[in-house]
Amino acid sequence: MGKKPIIGITMGDAAGVGPEIIVKSLQSKRIYEESTPIVVGDAKMLKRASDVLNLDVTIKLIDKNSMFETQYGEIACVDLDLLPEDLPYGQVSKEAGHAAFEYLRTAIELANSGRIDAICTAPLNKEALHKGGHVYPGHTEILAELTNTKDFSMMLASPKLKVIHVTTHVGLLDAIKMINPDRVYNVIRLAHETLSKSGVTNPKIGVCGINPHAGENGLFGYGEEEEKIIPAVQKAMNEGIHVEGPLPADTLFFRAQRGDFDMVVAMYHDQGHGPIKVLGLEAGVNITVGLPIIRTSVDHGTAFDIAGKGIVDERSMLEALNQAIALAPKN
């Protein structure tokens, strides 16, 4: 049996629910049995979260250059000590935005150097991130830049459905302009490689159209399916990938969750996110595909409206940790 993977958990925006879902998730003994969880964040925010949750938690401060060890009943933290103890809950702040970036940057540094085996991220707030001086659409783009990755995609996973995206954090008009045969083909290939590595034999991939009814042979749209998607699907098929499309999105997602497809290729953000979130926020996990390191995340936001109230649902974070453990190298 291989060694337990070391999972670096970034705190995200500490004005949101990140610290609470981390503390609550690390009450699971099984997480410690199967991995070594290490939080990258602010120890004082973890202590504040444990007080809010009325949990008796030991916060163990560790140096990022030390041997990473922890045991059930304590939460090990690489403490960057960037935030004031009285950081307001539920408010956008440049301090929290900058800190969220630094937590992630540090975790990427640790992963690149082989100190941790996977990264699991709590949510950040994009407005706060920008106010803190880091103008990125989100986690995915930061990870790609800091790992020098050009070919990547966002994948959402739930027990019944897996979705990978051609475009994500751009407006709809910009997304349609950005979709092209090369990008669609690359995402189909990433989907195939990801499923194959996870043990799926001859994975079945369904590709969404852009327009209603996937254009219905030119009835809707201006030939986007024929120009942007069909050449990519044909190229993938010629390479032996089991792929179908473009297919009408409204029926494709139903067929996929029924089991007809192992993954759906969505063309834009809401096309892919909507069906996953209808199936339940608590079950969704965000996985960045194509990076040299494993990264999983909760599939929900900072939830400023309930931050600091001790009522968070930690199930998405637990599932994200489970996925990180499953995907991380064990040897």
Side-chain angles (χ1 to χ4, degrees):
M1 182 177 178
K3 70 178 181 66
K4 293 194 298 185
I6 300 173
I7 310 298
I9 307 169
T10 60
M11 190 176 290
D13 193 308
V17 295
E20 290 171 74
I21 58 173
I22 290 171
V23 169
K24 209 168 177 184
S25 295
L26 294 182
Q27 303 310 297
S28 168
K29 190 173 184 179
R30 188 177 58 78
I31 296 297
Y32 288 80
E33 291 172 345
E34 298 182 2
S35 72
T36 300
I38 304 295
V39 180
V40 182
D42 267 52
K44 68 178 77 70
M45 296 294 109
L46 293 174
K47 178 62 171 65
R48 184 170 76 160
S50 67
D51 291 342
V52 164
L53 294 165
N54 197 29
L55 292 171
D56 185 14
V57 173
T58 298
I59 310 298
K60 175 184 176 182
L61 303 186
I62 56 174
D63 183 87
K64 69 177 183 178
N65 297 312
S66 67
M67 180 176 292
F68 290 161
E69 294 180 330
T70 190
Q71 60 185 355
Y72 180 65
E74 64 184 22
I75 297 177
C77 178
V78 175
D79 182 23
L80 300 192
D81 193 21
L82 295 173
L83 296 173
E85 290 186 13
D86 60 351
L87 178 76
Y89 280 116
Q91 294 183 23
V92 172
S93 75
K94 65 180 182 181
E95 292 82 8
H98 172 66
F101 176 85
E102 286 298 319
Y103 304 152
L104 183 59
R105 186 194 61 76
T106 301
I108 293 169
E109 176 187 304
L110 292 171
N112 283 338
S113 64
R115 304 275 292 117
I116 60 176
D117 300 300
I119 297 173
C120 182
T121 60
L124 54 72
N125 180 281
K126 294 177 181 63
E127 183 182 353
L129 182 69
H130 293 181
K131 284 189 173 183
H134 309 286
V135 184
Y136 295 88
H139 273 115
T140 302
E141 293 78 10
I142 299 171
L143 283 149
E145 181 173 308
L146 296 186
T147 58
N148 296 312
T149 302
K150 304 299 181 187
D151 192 10
F152 62 93
S153 183
M154 176 188 291
M155 172 181 152
L156 301 181
S158 72
K160 287 190 174 183
L161 183 64
K162 291 182 174 63
V163 182
I164 192 168
H165 293 71
V166 174
T167 68
T168 48
H169 296 115
V170 293
L172 185 55
L173 292 178
D174 291 329
I176 293 171
K177 291 178 184 176
M178 291 170 64
I179 298 167
N180 61 65
D182 286 343
R183 173 61 180 166
V184 175
Y185 164 75
N186 284 334
V187 174
I188 293 170
R189 180 180 53 78
L190 284 172
H192 175 78
E193 291 175 357
T194 300
L195 290 167
S196 297
K197 287 177 181 177
S198 70
V200 179
T201 303
N202 192 25
K204 302 182 292 294
I205 299 165
V207 180
C208 290
I210 296 171
N211 294 296
H213 301 186
E216 202 163 308
N217 298 316
L219 184 61
F220 302 109
Y222 298 92
E224 288 86 358
E225 281 74 18
E226 289 76 11
E227 174 192 348
K228 297 170 177 286
I229 301 176
I230 290 176
V233 172
Q234 190 61 56
K235 181 179 180 180
M237 290 176 65
N238 291 342
E239 295 179 359
I241 295 176
H242 189 162
V243 59
E244 293 182 37
L247 299 171
D250 55 356
T251 54
L252 174 53
F253 285 104
F254 168 77
R255 293 178 60 195
Q257 63 85 31
R258 186 177 64 184
D260 294 0
F261 296 96
D262 298 299
M263 193 178 300
V264 172
V265 176
M267 292 296 124
Y268 52 89
H269 183 281
D270 285 13
Q271 187 181 59
H273 280 60
I276 286 283
K277 293 190 176 182
V278 165
L279 291 174
L281 283 172
E282 73 282 352
V285 176
N286 184 328
I287 303 169
T288 307
V289 175
L291 297 174
I293 56 181
I294 300 300
R295 179 261 175 162
T296 68
S297 179
V298 295
D299 186 32
H300 62 70
T302 48
F304 277 175
D305 57 325
I306 63 168
K309 296 181 180 178
I311 58 173
V312 294
D313 187 329
E314 78 281 14
R315 285 177 290 177
S316 184
M317 174 57 83
L318 273 173
E319 187 57 32
L321 286 167
N322 290 335
Q323 291 283 350
I325 293 167
L327 295 169
K330 308 298 190 298
N331 299 313

